[in-house]
């Protein structure tokens, strides 16, 4: 660091010199410039002198004493991972830590292989909307106006700093197959690693031909009817065009010169079975239509964004198609409506909505049971709901191993990159996610992510407790809360356990008589402001109760609140400790 | 022994595979019904034996083979499953209204087997419906003949595979409004409609020739002819010219009907059915001579200018002039009581029972090219049957059971309130539960016709 410091001060001196002594003789100025220049050169030679402070100190990391899930079902306890130059250098229980390694204590943490998003659009910008030519015949518009741009490369529209990348990386995603935005044939997908912003970050440029059931307004093909016909026509014409080009190359003389058609040429690698068609097909009929086209035309098919595929497992198996399920789950709003006052018929109809909702949550479990390996897609899913949706799927029958496989090794296999990623193995890309709890546990939080060997820390997400002040809280507190149902009384207990402030609250059971004890979550305490929350079950619904207020000596004053239900006063007094 | 078990398992699996690949076929004995055969008169107190989806025997005192259910239909009426030659039910999209000719599109691609309208149609005795493209384009999409095998998730199971290909054409106000007035394209007038169709056929002839030239020379040594562009639209039009596809043409006025007859005669096309045909009675002899008939409404008219000159006697006049005539629904509601629609021809035109029933059975079967398979109760035909409590032409008639291929898909005694196959997890249910659907000929063209919203009926 001293070198860095001296450089900065010199630079400041130079600045002062050059501005203050503007009238200095030219000779002197030249000298100064030379010094300046030499210093600049020096900077590149001694590259650890980074005045911005952005450059990382080392590319070598050691995560020690952690629970490592190297691949679904395979665990190393108290293991250490050493990362060097973007790869896993060593995974063992007794590794020698390199001297240049930044050490991350992994005690009580769980390490998973970095998650892979088998189809997403984080970091992808929309292409500029195609201008409709004047006097265009809407029955026969140019391809790019009709949403047919299979030749487009998504990397031309992708930026590591673009929308969504950070949000999904924060969830543990380290690789994504990004899809271009558009209509029926938006372009080619690419594989990117969500690593450092200065890296190029792509793993492959054209991993698949992306297709959707989306059509332009008022132009052919304007509906699914036209889309299906257009698909057949494009594909068959690409086959013919390729044949023509081959004839021309082989024979040449006497043959009409093939006209260049970038849209059709974009199909060649699909026709040659080099890359698959990645078809976004959400509902059952869309999936059937994609399978129908595959059956007629014979391309390799990956179905993505699948939301309603449970009844199609056999057809999908028979077609040999790969499956990417959507991480988006249906909005539970419709299934949660209270129907006490409704007609009998409406109640029955509502029951079917609830069934449909539950079925949607069970989709992943259905695929697991059917033995179809699947991956997940982040497209159209909200990053903030990832952990919640994952636990919902696991509560509805998806095993922990299958969930992890979908996020890691299955995705790698579908994308054809399992030889260097998808599991924690020496020599693989250093992509991993480090969590506080097991996957599917609702309180699991991502603490660190390594992508492409780069470390991303998410400690800021953790509740903050000033430990020096926390011991003032330790003990039992009697509380009172004024609610519309009367005064509620109970106790809160705080203790410090393994360096962490923990607590529990005794509250009236909303579902019956008596009291129940609940663990406090997300405790924040800075010596004055105290907040936490806890959950209770009331008539089958989980309510989260938030408490917030100020601590003054042995008194607490604040509020209790429940979302959409109101705010009530909360006061508490610490019970004096008796010392014998 | 082990080996034998294994072989047995293989055989069983093969059989199971074979069964899943096919649509279900049923066996049943319907006893002692008044059988309205439509083509072979009315048979009192007669039994009909169905085996594996086909009508095996019609006669008295038939006995049911082992494991075949027997249904006592004493005092009841048995008629062939009703066939609707014009419907838009169970289709996710009706119009690809973006071009005056869309012969390349196919309704088979957008079948929605979950449409509860199918069950409601079955409850009205309809077993087969012709799912048409809408009437926005002069030449619309290829239509699909469907057997209402409700309960399947697979659109392919709804398709009547044996039925010949059909296509929708449309004349008059709809295509000129959508393309002419809506987008300032041809056709803007009835003359334009004719020109669009003639040009389409003429192009198809050239297209066909191009491919014939290429195919004839492609395998020859030193061939220099390169593959022509593949054009699914012209390919389809060429198939019409080759007689592989039956045209069902939306039409109202006598002049436009006669126009298309002439166009088709010029191009050697004789597989032609007109649908709606409100002024058909004016050109009945021509329809009888040159076409596969007319499929009409019983009494719908005056919903737009070209439909004012109409009469409820239309079906009767056409029939008496030897035009193959059918009555269609073009509606998710009328399809539930086409037997009422047929009965109206007895009030307006005095048709006999057999003539009236032929309007919704054997005649639409002829227009769809499936009359050798369905449309009447005859030995060897497919067992699409309906049992009514009263004579189906009586205003009191209520369908009791409906069979497709001998499989019962509707039974009034086993009729649950909610027959939907699929429910959306995000569908908000109103505390007071009402449902309404609307299937229309001009569905999906609002974009092109600002005034379309003013029409209540736009068939």
């Amino acid at each position: 660091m001293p070198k860095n410091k001296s450089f900065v001060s010199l630079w400041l001196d130079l600045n002062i010199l050059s501005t203050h002594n503007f009238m200095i003789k030219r000779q002197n100025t030249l000298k100064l410039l030379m010094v300046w220049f030499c210093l600049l050169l020096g900077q590149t030679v001694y590259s650890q002198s980074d005045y911005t402070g952005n450059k990382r100190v080392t590319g070598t990391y050691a995560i020690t004493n952690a629970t490592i899930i190297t691949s679904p079902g395979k665990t190393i306890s108290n293991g250490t991972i050493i990362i060097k130059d973007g790869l896993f250098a060593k995974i063992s229980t007794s590794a020698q830590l390199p001297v240049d390694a930044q050490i991350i204590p992994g005690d009580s943490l769980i390490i998973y292989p970095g998650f892979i998003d088998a189809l997403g659009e984080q970091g992808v910008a929309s292409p500029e909307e195609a201008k409709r030519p004047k006097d265009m015949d809407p029955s026969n518009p140019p391809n790019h106006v009709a949403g047919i741009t299979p030749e487009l490369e998504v990397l031309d529209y992708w930026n590591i700093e673009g929308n969504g990348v950070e949000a999904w990386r924060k969830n543990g995603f380290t690789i994504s197959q990004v899809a271009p935005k558009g209509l029926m044939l938006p372009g080619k997908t690419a594989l990117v690693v969500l690593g450092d912003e200065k890296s190029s970050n792509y793993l492959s440029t054209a991993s698949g031909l992306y297709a959707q059931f989306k059509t332009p307004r008022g132009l052919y093909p304007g509906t699914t009817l036209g889309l299906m016909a257009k698909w057949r026509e494009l594909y068959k014409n690409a086959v013919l065009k390729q044949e023509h080009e081959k004839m021309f190359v082989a024979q040449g003389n006497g043959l009409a010169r093939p006209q260049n058609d970038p849209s059709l040429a974009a199909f060649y690698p699909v026709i040659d079975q080099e890359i698959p068609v990645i078809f976004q097909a959400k509902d059952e009929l869309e999936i059937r239509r994609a399978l129908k086209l595959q059956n007629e035309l014979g391309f390799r098919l990956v179905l993505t964004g699948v939301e309603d595929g449970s009844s199609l497992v056999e057809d999908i198996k028979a077609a040999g198609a790969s499956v990417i399920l959507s991480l988006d789950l249906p909005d539970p709003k419709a299934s949660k409506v209270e129907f006490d006052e409704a007609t009998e018929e409406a109640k029955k109809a509502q029951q079917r909505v609830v069934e449909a909702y539950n079925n949607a949550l069970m989709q992943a479990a259905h695929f697991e049971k059917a033995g179809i390996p699947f991956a997940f897609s982040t497209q159209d899913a909200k990053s903030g709901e990832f952990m919640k949706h994952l636990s919902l799927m696991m509560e509805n029958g998806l095993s922990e191993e299958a969930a992890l496989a979908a996020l890691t090794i299955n995705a790698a296999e579908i994308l054809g990159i399992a030889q260097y990623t998808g599991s924690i193995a020496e020599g693989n890309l250093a992509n991993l996610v480090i969590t506080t709890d097991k996957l599917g546990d609702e309180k699991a939080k991502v603490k660190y992510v390594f992508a492409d060997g780069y470390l991303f820390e998410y400690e800021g997400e953790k509740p903050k407790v000033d430990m020096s002040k926390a011991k003032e809280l330790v003990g039992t507190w009697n509380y009172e809360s004024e609610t519309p149902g009367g005064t509620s009384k109970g106790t809160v207990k705080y203790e410090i356990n393994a360096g962490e402030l923990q607590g529990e609250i005794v509250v009236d059971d909303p579902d019956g008589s008596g009291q129940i004890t609940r663990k406090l979550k997300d405790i924040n305490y800075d010596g004055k402001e105290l907040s936490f929350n806890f959950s209770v079950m009331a008539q089958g619904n989980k309510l989260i109760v938030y408490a917030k207020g100020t601590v003054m000596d042995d008194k607490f004053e604040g509020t209790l609140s429940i979302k959409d239900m109101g705010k009530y006063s909360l006061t508490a007094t610490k019970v004096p400790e008796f010392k014998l | 022994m082990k080996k034998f078990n294994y072989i047995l398992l293989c055989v069983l699996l093969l059989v199971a595979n074979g069964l899943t690949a096919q649509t279900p076929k049923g066996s049943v004995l319907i006893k002692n019904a008044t059988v309205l055969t439509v083509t072979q008169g009315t048979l009192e107190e007669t039994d009909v034996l169905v085996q594996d989806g086909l009508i095996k025997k019609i006669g008295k005192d038939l006995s049911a083979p082992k494991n075949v259910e027997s249904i006592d239909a004493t005092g009841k009426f048995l008629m062939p499953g009703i066939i609707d030659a014009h419907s838009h039910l169970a289709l996710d999209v009706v119009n690809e209204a973006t071009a005056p000719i869309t012969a390349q599109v196919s309704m088979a691609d957008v079948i929605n087997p979950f449409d509860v309208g199918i069950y409601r149609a079955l409850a009205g005795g309809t077993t087969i419906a012709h799912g048409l493209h809408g009437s926005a384009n002069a030449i619309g999409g290829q239509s699909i003949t469907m057997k209402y095998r409700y309960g399947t998730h697979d659109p392919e199971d709804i398709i009547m595979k044996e039925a010949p290909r059909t296509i929708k054409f449309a004349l008059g106000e709809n295509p000129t409004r959508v393309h002419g007035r809506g987008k300032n394209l041809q056709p803007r007038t009835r003359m334009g409609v004719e020109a669009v169709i003639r040009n389409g056929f003429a192009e198809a002839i050239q297209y066909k020739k191009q491919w014939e030239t290429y195919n004839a020379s492609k395998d020859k040594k030193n061939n220099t002819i390169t593959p022509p562009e593949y054009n699914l639209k012209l390919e389809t039009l060429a198939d019409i010219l080759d007689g592989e596809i039956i045209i069902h043409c939306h039409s109202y006025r006598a002049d436009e009907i006669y126009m298309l007859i002439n166009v088709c005669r010029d191009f050697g096309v004789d597989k032609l059915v007109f649908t709606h045909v409100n002024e058909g009675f004016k050109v009945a002899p021509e329809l009888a001579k040159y076409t596969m008939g007319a499929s009409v409404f019983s009494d719908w008219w005056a919903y737009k200018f070209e439909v004012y000159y109409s009469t409820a006697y239309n079906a009767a006049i056409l029939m008496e002039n030897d035009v193959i005539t059918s009555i269609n629904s073009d509606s998710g509601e009328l399809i539930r009581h086409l037997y009422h629609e047929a009965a109206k021809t007895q009030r307006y035109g005095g048709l006999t029972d057999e003539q009236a029933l032929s309007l919704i059975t054997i005649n639409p079967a002829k227009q769809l090219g499936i009359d050798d398979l369905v449309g009447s109760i005859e030995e060897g035909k497919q067992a699409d049957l309906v049992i009514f409590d009263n004579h189906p032409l009586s205003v009191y008639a209520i369908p009791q059971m409906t069979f497709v291929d001998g499989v019962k898909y509707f039974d009034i005694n086993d009729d649950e309130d909610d027959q939907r196959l699929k429910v959306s997890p995000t569908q908000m249910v109103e505390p007071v539960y009402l449902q309404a659907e609307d299937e229309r000929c001009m569905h999906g063209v609002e974009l092109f016709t600002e005034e379309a919203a003013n029409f209540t009926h736009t068939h």
Side-chain angles (χ1 to χ4, degrees):
Chain A
M1 284 300 117
K3 198 169 177 70
N4 200 347
K5 210 168 194 176
S6 64
F7 169 74
V8 172
S9 54
L10 242 177
W11 182 80
L12 282 171
D13 292 344
L14 279 168
N15 253 340
I16 292 160
L17 275 175
S18 57
T19 46
H20 280 242
N21 303 341
F22 194 67
M23 303 301 281
I24 260 175
K25 283 180 197 163
R26 178 169 291 175
Q27 220 177 0
N28 280 351
T29 316
L30 264 175
K31 264 186 197 164
L32 279 169
L33 272 174
M34 276 174 71
V35 173
W36 174 235
F37 196 65
C38 289
L39 281 165
L40 273 178
L41 279 176
Q43 196 203 356
T44 54
V45 175
Y46 303 101
S47 56
Q48 66 262 54
S49 305
D50 170 26
Y51 65 88
T52 65
N54 286 337
K55 191 166 169 57
R56 60 180 174 173
V57 178
T58 174
T60 307
Y61 298 89
I63 310 152
T64 58
N65 205 27
T67 304
I68 309 169
I69 318 289
T70 55
S71 62
K74 285 185 192 151
T75 307
I76 298 175
S77 302
N78 304 320
T80 292
I81 295 180
I82 293 164
I83 290 168
K84 207 172 166 63
D85 301 330
L87 302 177
F88 293 126
K90 190 98 192 136
I91 296 141
S92 104
T93 46
S94 57
Q96 184 97 46
L97 305 187
V99 285
D100 60 339
Q102 178 179 337
I103 292 163
I104 297 169
D107 311 63
S108 85
L109 299 179
I110 304 172
I111 307 182
Y112 293 101
F115 299 156
I116 299 172
D117 168 24
L119 202 279
E121 46 189 30
Q122 62 263 40
V124 179
S126 293
E128 217 177 291
E129 202 182 327
K131 285 210 172 65
R132 298 187 174 193
K134 258 193 176 169
D135 299 324
M136 181 189 64
D137 175 2
S139 70
N140 189 21
N143 276 347
H144 69 285
V145 180
I148 301 167
T149 52
E151 66 275 19
L152 182 146
E153 300 267 356
V154 68
L155 282 183
D156 292 340
Y157 297 88
W158 183 76
N159 185 340
I160 185 80
E161 291 172 283
N163 241 342
V165 173
E166 180 51 28
W168 282 106
R169 185 164 49 207
K170 213 179 196 171
N171 277 320
F173 283 86
T174 55
I175 285 179
S176 176
Q177 174 166 249
V178 283
K181 293 183 180 179
L183 298 172
M184 88 177 247
L185 284 161
K188 299 254 170 65
T189 57
L191 287 174
V192 293
V193 56
L194 307 180
D196 186 61
E197 76 235 22
K198 285 186 192 71
S199 303
S200 62
N201 285 310
Y202 67 85
L203 302 171
S204 86
T205 51
S207 53
L209 182 70
Y210 185 53
Q212 308 181 108
F213 285 100
K214 288 181 184 167
T215 50
R217 236 177 111 74
L219 301 178
Y220 181 81
T223 65
T224 306
L225 268 176
L227 181 142
M228 295 288 284
K230 190 71 189 177
W231 240 102
R232 295 182 178 109
E233 223 169 51
L234 284 166
Y235 199 91
K236 288 185 184 167
N237 275 320
V239 171
L240 294 170
K241 178 76 81 184
Q242 199 184 21
E243 204 177 301
H244 185 162
E245 284 179 14
K246 281 180 186 161
M247 269 174 89
F248 188 73
V249 169
Q251 206 174 325
N253 191 284
L255 276 154
R257 182 177 60 82
Q259 296 295 311
N260 178 38
D261 186 327
S263 296
L264 296 184
F267 277 89
Y268 297 169
V270 174
I271 295 166
D272 296 338
Q273 310 283 321
E274 285 163 8
I275 60 169
V277 174
I278 300 165
F279 225 124
Q280 187 199 62
K282 296 190 174 192
D283 66 37
E284 185 173 342
L285 292 176
E286 284 185 345
I287 298 167
R288 287 185 182 279
R289 285 165 194 152
L291 288 170
K292 188 176 181 183
L293 286 176
Q294 183 223 16
N295 185 37
E296 286 174 28
L297 303 172
F299 48 77
R300 276 170 56 200
L301 176 64
V302 178
L303 296 162
T304 187
V306 172
E307 292 175 358
D308 179 23
S310 294
S311 54
L312 281 168
V313 285
E314 290 309 319
D315 303 68
I316 290 170
K317 242 188 219 172
S322 300
V323 180
I324 304 172
L325 302 181
S326 177
L327 278 171
D328 190 25
L329 292 175
D331 190 334
K333 210 164 89 196
S335 63
K336 302 274 188 251
V337 179
E338 287 298 328
F339 259 73
D340 300 339
E341 310 263 304
T343 62
E344 269 315 302
E345 203 183 2
K347 274 182 193 165
K348 278 188 190 164
Q350 174 66 6
Q351 197 44 46
R352 296 205 60 193
V353 174
V354 173
E355 275 166 34
Y357 176 71
N358 291 337
N359 265 331
L361 303 189
M362 284 188 279
Q363 179 183 240
H366 275 299
F367 276 87
E368 182 190 352
K369 212 171 150 201
I372 298 180
F374 58 88
F376 283 120
S377 161
T378 65
Q379 195 184 36
D380 298 333
K382 289 189 190 79
S383 54
E385 290 182 334
F386 167 68
M387 282 294 182
K388 191 175 102 193
H389 284 183
L390 197 66
S391 20
L392 267 176
M393 287 189 245
M394 289 169 74
E395 281 162 27
N396 283 277
L398 178 65
S399 74
E400 192 186 332
E401 284 174 19
L404 181 61
L407 290 165
T408 57
I409 190 68
N410 288 356
E413 268 160 16
I414 289 171
L415 301 174
I417 51 174
Q419 72 275 21
Y420 60 80
T421 190
S423 58
I424 299 178
E426 287 171 11
N428 271 6
L429 281 191
N431 291 344
L432 49 81
V433 45
I434 305 178
T435 60
T436 55
D437 289 278
K438 274 168 106 177
L439 267 193
D441 190 328
E442 228 181 307
K443 63 181 190 296
K445 288 216 163 62
V446 171
K447 211 164 169 183
Y448 305 99
V449 170
F450 275 91
D452 198 25
Y454 286 89
L455 169 65
F456 299 88
E457 293 186 58
Y458 298 109
E459 300 247 44
E461 300 301 299
K462 278 220 75 170
K464 277 174 245 138
V465 174
D466 186 343
M467 291 309 291
S468 64
K469 305 270 173 65
K471 52 182 179 289
E472 300 165 6
L473 286 178
V474 172
T476 304
W477 296 63
N478 286 327
Y479 75 82
E480 269 188 37
S481 178
E482 293 297 331
T483 68
T487 306
S488 179
K489 286 182 186 179
T491 57
V492 186
K493 271 185 197 157
Y494 297 99
E495 58 176 7
I496 290 171
N497 208 337
E500 217 183 321
L501 179 65
Q502 294 173 347
E504 56 185 41
I505 186 165
V506 177
V507 291
D508 294 326
D509 187 352
D511 265 349
S513 55
Q515 293 198 310
I516 47 170
T517 305
R518 312 296 305 159
K519 220 171 148 59
L520 304 186
K521 286 185 176 174
D522 304 328
I523 305 173
N524 281 269
Y525 182 56
D526 60 2
K528 194 175 168 217
E529 300 288 341
L530 170 68
S531 68
F532 55 80
N533 65 63
F534 59 92
S535 62
V536 287
M537 295 300 289
Q539 285 149 3
N541 290 319
K542 188 170 167 182
L543 297 178
I544 298 185
V545 185
Y546 295 91
K548 202 176 172 180
T550 325
V551 178
M552 283 284 279
D553 299 320
D554 288 339
K555 296 246 180 299
F556 170 87
E557 266 189 58
T559 56
L560 272 185
S561 63
I562 301 170
K563 204 182 165 217
D564 298 330
M565 291 179 109
K567 225 175 205 178
Y568 318 109
S569 77
L570 176 72
T571 55
T573 320
K574 194 174 175 187
V575 181
E577 282 183 59
F578 298 101
K579 280 173 190 156
L580 289 171
Chain B
M1 194 61 202
K2 248 183 183 167
K3 199 171 179 185
F4 175 75
N5 276 343
Y6 179 71
I7 291 169
L8 191 74
L9 186 72
C10 282
V11 170
L12 281 174
L13 281 172
L14 276 175
V15 170
N17 263 332
L19 286 178
T20 51
Q22 265 184 14
T23 51
K25 307 264 186 287
S27 301
V28 65
L29 176 65
I30 298 164
K31 287 194 71 77
N32 212 25
T34 302
V35 180
L36 309 163
T37 68
V38 180
T39 49
Q40 296 172 345
T42 299
L43 311 171
E44 303 290 346
E45 291 164 9
T46 298
D47 303 344
V48 174
L49 175 64
V50 172
Q51 257 185 329
D52 299 326
L54 298 177
I55 299 169
K56 174 98 179 193
K57 196 138 186 68
I58 303 165
K60 304 241 179 210
D61 301 321
L62 303 182
S63 53
K66 223 176 143 190
N67 298 330
V68 170
E69 191 198 351
S70 178
I71 293 167
D72 179 16
T74 307
K76 300 205 165 67
F77 293 78
L78 184 70
M79 74 169 282
I82 293 169
I83 299 174
D84 184 359
H86 189 137
S87 161
H88 303 291
L89 260 185
L91 301 171
D92 269 356
V93 184
V94 174
N95 274 295
E96 172 64 52
T98 51
I101 301 182
T102 53
Q104 67 272 33
V105 311
S106 204
M107 304 315 284
D109 287 334
V110 295
I111 293 174
N112 181 352
F114 308 127
D115 191 336
V116 73
I118 297 176
Y119 179 80
R120 293 172 183 162
L122 285 163
T126 304
T127 53
I128 290 179
H130 185 214
L132 289 156
H133 188 273
S135 54
N137 312 335
I139 299 180
Q142 298 172 63
S143 305
I144 190 73
T145 302
M146 293 182 268
K147 274 203 149 186
Y148 277 168
R149 301 181 183 106
Y150 192 59
T152 178
H153 279 219
D154 189 350
E156 296 297 310
D157 290 345
I158 300 276
I159 295 172
M160 183 176 180
K161 298 270 193 239
E162 309 91 324
R165 292 164 70 192
T166 55
I167 192 166
K168 176 75 172 277
F169 277 40
L171 312 176
E173 289 178 15
N174 287 0
T176 53
R177 193 166 84 228
V178 171
H179 302 285
R181 274 155 67 191
K183 299 186 283 190
N184 205 23
L185 292 174
Q186 199 182 35
R188 203 180 166 84
T189 65
R190 281 190 164 73
M191 293 182 286
V193 174
E194 179 175 356
V196 164
I197 296 170
R198 282 185 184 276
N199 285 341
F201 281 154
E203 261 190 86
I205 292 170
Q206 292 169 16
Y207 174 79
K208 203 179 143 192
K209 205 164 183 180
Q210 239 184 335
W211 271 96
E212 281 167 357
T213 313
Y214 167 71
N215 284 329
S217 59
K218 71 172 174 190
D219 295 326
K220 285 188 188 144
K221 222 182 155 196
N222 296 327
N223 164 45
T224 55
I225 299 175
T226 53
E229 196 180 326
Y230 175 80
N231 186 319
L232 191 46
K233 174 177 90 182
L234 297 177
E235 190 102 5
T236 310
L237 296 183
D239 290 345
I240 297 173
L241 296 175
D242 287 344
E244 289 172 21
I245 305 178
I246 305 168
I247 299 169
H248 278 242
C249 184
H250 162 110
S251 57
Y252 293 105
R253 267 170 42 176
D255 55 350
E256 67 189 16
I257 293 165
Y258 192 57
M259 174 278 284
L260 191 69
I261 287 175
N262 281 333
V263 170
C264 284
R265 286 177 68 200
D266 286 351
F267 285 91
V269 173
D270 58 2
K271 291 191 174 155
L272 172 62
V273 177
F274 285 94
T275 184
H276 304 327
V277 214
N278 284 43
E279 290 186 17
F281 62 92
K282 296 181 180 175
V283 283
E286 290 79 5
L287 283 168
K289 188 168 177 191
Y290 297 113
T291 75
M292 290 168 65
S295 187
V296 303
F297 290 130
S298 60
D299 55 3
W300 271 10
W301 59 74
Y303 39 86
K304 56 183 161 175
F305 188 70
E306 63 184 352
V307 214
Y308 271 77
Y309 203 148
S310 298
T311 167
Y313 289 89
N314 197 22
I317 295 170
L318 290 167
M319 184 162 270
E320 293 300 345
N321 279 279
D322 298 326
V323 177
I324 300 167
T325 308
S326 68
I327 285 184
N328 67 55
S329 77
D330 194 5
S331 143
E333 193 278 322
L334 283 189
I335 199 171
R336 300 163 66 177
H337 53 90
L338 277 169
Y339 46 98
H340 284 161
E341 298 305 296
K344 287 175 185 171
T345 60
Q346 301 196 297
R347 166 66 181 79
Y348 299 102
L351 294 188
T352 65
D353 284 359
E354 204 146 280
Q355 281 178 318
L357 288 176
S358 73
L359 289 167
I360 52 173
T361 53
I362 191 69
N363 287 0
K366 286 176 183 166
Q367 293 170 342
L368 297 172
I370 51 175
D371 52 309
D372 55 334
L373 301 170
V374 291
S376 62
I377 300 180
E378 290 177 59
E379 285 175 8
K381 280 199 166 181
Q382 296 176 359
D384 297 356
L385 302 164
V386 197
I387 300 175
F388 279 85
D389 58 347
N390 284 294
H391 193 288
L393 295 170
S394 154
V395 80
Y396 299 109
I398 297 173
Q400 304 294 304
M401 291 181 192
T402 307
F403 299 84
V404 178
D405 301 324
V407 178
K408 189 166 68 182
Y409 286 92
F410 167 74
D411 186 335
I412 200 163
N413 296 313
D414 193 17
D415 176 34
E416 298 291 330
D417 283 346
D418 187 353
Q419 291 283 353
R420 291 172 300 164
L421 294 176
K422 212 176 183 77
V423 174
S424 159
T426 53
Q427 183 199 335
M428 278 290 179
V429 176
E430 296 297 323
V432 178
Y433 190 51
L434 293 170
Q435 258 201 322
E437 274 127 37
D438 195 18
E439 259 98 9
R440 294 171 301 131
C441 228
M442 287 291 275
H443 188 84
V445 304
E446 292 80 359
L447 186 60
F448 306 111
T449 55
E450 50 191 4
E451 76 274 39
N454 303 326
F455 287 87
T456 48
H457 285 107
T458 47
H459 304 277

